[in-house]
Amino acid sequence: MKRNLFRTLCFASALTLASARTQAGVKDGTLDIYWNDVEGGGATLIVTPSGESVLIDSGNPGGRDAARIHKTATEVAGLKKIDHLITTHFHRDHFGGAAELAALMPIGQVYDNGIPDMDPDHNPRNTNWPAQIKPYREFKSDGRSILHPGDRIALWQPANAPRLTLRCLAARQQFAAPPIAADVNPLCDTGTTKPKDTTDNANSIALVLDFGPFRFFDGGDLTWNTEGELVCPTNRVGKVDVYQVDHHGLDASNNPLLIHSLAPTVSVMNNGSRKGTSRTAVEGLKSSPGIQAMYQLHKNVRRDRENNTADEFIANLEEQCAGNYIKLSVAPDGNSYTVTIPATGHTRTFQTRDK
């Protein structure tokens, strides 16, 4: 506990003045989450009621994804700076756009698992890893930190608003301690395992965002066995309102044990038109107790088109698309939230669930 408190205080003291000067313009008291379309990568932008920003992953290299994130951040969310950048793991569709984004707007504190010197998937044939990671290693930021299970990102607490926290529950296949009063998860008897995943996906940082009664889970690309360990023998996450579908909806992830233990009301899948939306993930979501809506950034255009949600919940229906994003706004009291797809006009409001 002392170690985690010390980290939190250090993060807070280093970031307080910088964050206070870089918040967005006057907001309406909502907590906003944007899922940028980075074509099957990760780039989730959180903007707090105080205008403080957290970007979880930065998409692919090549300019397109950084430009899309920058547009959402500056033109839609009204940001001048990304206050916190969290990289869940070291695959290019999650860290690749960071250096290019840093050239477009300032980046505050960077959090990750620690940059590996060698290929994070332990592939001895990938001798190009030092060149691949060089832009990420060298881009300018206010500071860099390694996240540990149990750490909290120091966020401004909005005045006269519900408590706001962002916690790291898993990193490098290690886990935060479960809540003291947590019971044994009765679903654990139904769990299955798969062969050990030796890629960096299994090392993903998993985060839970709480705003009063509202809870959101982002597990990066956690894979099957690690997902099971996160909720067994006790559920370290608890029930959630919104689940960002792990690993873009691929079947190496999305263990039904995790999905059903979280029991989300809403899921959001950051898939691509030909990536994700596996049968395992879709069926796991559909069978989850309490699920009301399943959102996707892209429609699956492969032959298995039955593995899709309804078109009204999809931001991009065509393979050659405009890169439409999905937005979620949590009401100032945390008791409800609204999901919109601005490009299509879709909007739907949900009530925050009892936990």
Side-chain angles (χ1 to χ4, degrees):
M1 290 179 64
K2 290 182 178 179
R3 185 185 70 175
N4 290 339
L5 177 60
F6 176 75
R7 289 197 187 101
T8 299
L9 291 173
C10 288
F11 289 168
S13 61
L15 296 172
T16 297
L17 290 177
S19 294
R21 296 190 180 102
T22 58
Q23 294 163 2
V26 177
K27 292 187 84 267
D28 54 9
T30 61
L31 170 70
D32 298 331
I33 305 175
Y34 301 87
W35 285 272
N36 293 284
D37 177 26
V38 292
E39 309 281 347
T44 304
L45 176 65
I46 299 167
V47 183
T48 75
S50 300
E52 193 173 6
S53 57
V54 181
L55 179 63
I56 305 175
D57 293 322
S58 55
N60 296 278
R64 178 201 64 199
D65 293 354
R68 288 181 177 179
I69 298 167
H70 179 258
K71 182 176 181 179
T72 302
T74 58
E75 297 182 17
V76 181
L79 300 173
K80 297 180 180 178
K81 179 178 182 177
I82 299 298
D83 294 305
H84 312 268
L85 170 63
I86 303 172
T87 298
T88 60
H89 63 294
F90 286 101
H91 284 169
R92 286 164 65 93
D93 58 334
H94 287 257
F95 78 84
E100 294 160 344
L101 182 62
L104 298 174
M105 66 190 304
I107 304 290
Q109 192 75 10
V110 178
Y111 310 83
D112 53 39
N113 277 325
I115 301 173
D117 293 326
M118 305 298 289
D119 177 78
D121 292 339
H122 313 291
N123 179 5
R125 294 188 297 275
N126 183 14
T127 58
N128 197 40
W129 173 251
Q132 293 173 352
I133 197 62
K134 187 174 186 288
Y136 181 89
R137 189 188 296 277
E138 296 181 353
F139 77 78
K140 183 179 179 181
S141 67
D142 291 345
R144 297 184 184 238
S145 304
I146 295 176
L147 271 183
H148 301 269
D151 285 350
R152 296 190 179 197
I153 304 299
L155 299 177
W156 280 90
Q157 178 60 41
N160 303 314
R163 180 168 173 77
L164 176 68
T165 61
L166 179 59
R167 298 174 289 145
C168 172
L169 296 186
R172 302 177 297 284
Q173 302 181 58
Q174 301 296 314
F175 306 97
I180 295 174
D183 294 326
V184 172
N185 184 351
L187 297 178
C188 292
D189 291 340
T190 68
T192 61
T193 59
K194 290 189 175 185
K196 181 178 176 60
D197 176 20
T198 60
T199 73
D200 204 41
N201 291 318
N203 295 320
S204 288
I205 291 169
L207 302 156
V208 64
L209 174 71
D210 287 288
F211 182 52
F214 173 83
R215 180 171 296 156
F216 164 61
F217 176 81
D218 182 339
D221 282 0
L222 281 181
T223 45
W224 192 277
N225 294 348
T226 313
E227 292 172 326
E229 291 182 73
L230 183 61
V231 295
C232 285
T234 56
N235 185 349
R236 294 173 173 84
V237 185
K239 308 296 185 184
V240 305
D241 295 287
V242 180
Y243 166 56
Q244 178 175 301
V245 180
D246 282 350
H247 205 179
H248 322 290
L250 292 170
D251 60 6
S253 305
N254 296 287
N255 189 332
L257 177 57
L258 172 77
I259 299 172
H260 295 180
S261 296
L262 270 53
T265 302
V266 169
S267 66
V268 181
M269 187 185 295
N270 53 5
N271 63 307
S273 58
R274 296 181 181 274
K275 178 180 180 181
T277 58
S278 68
R279 178 180 177 182
T280 300
V282 172
E283 290 185 349
L285 291 167
K286 287 182 176 179
S287 62
S288 181
I291 193 77
Q292 294 184 26
M294 298 159 48
Y295 287 86
Q296 295 172 199
L297 277 172
H298 280 267
K299 186 168 187 174
N300 167 24
V301 300
R302 301 185 308 261
R303 293 182 63 181
D304 61 325
R305 296 195 180 194
E306 67 276 11
N307 294 322
N308 273 304
T309 188
D311 283 359
E312 66 175 303
F313 301 119
I314 301 176
N316 298 280
L317 295 172
E318 304 297 331
E319 185 168 8
Q320 302 301 320
C321 67
N324 301 328
Y325 62 88
I326 297 171
K327 179 183 179 181
L328 182 149
S329 290
V330 186
D333 61 6
N335 288 325
S336 65
Y337 52 99
T338 299
V339 182
T340 60
I341 305 176
T344 67
H346 170 88
T347 181
R348 182 170 171 183
T349 298
F350 304 86
Q351 299 303 307
T352 301
R353 60 167 299 160
D354 293 331
K355 306 293 190 293

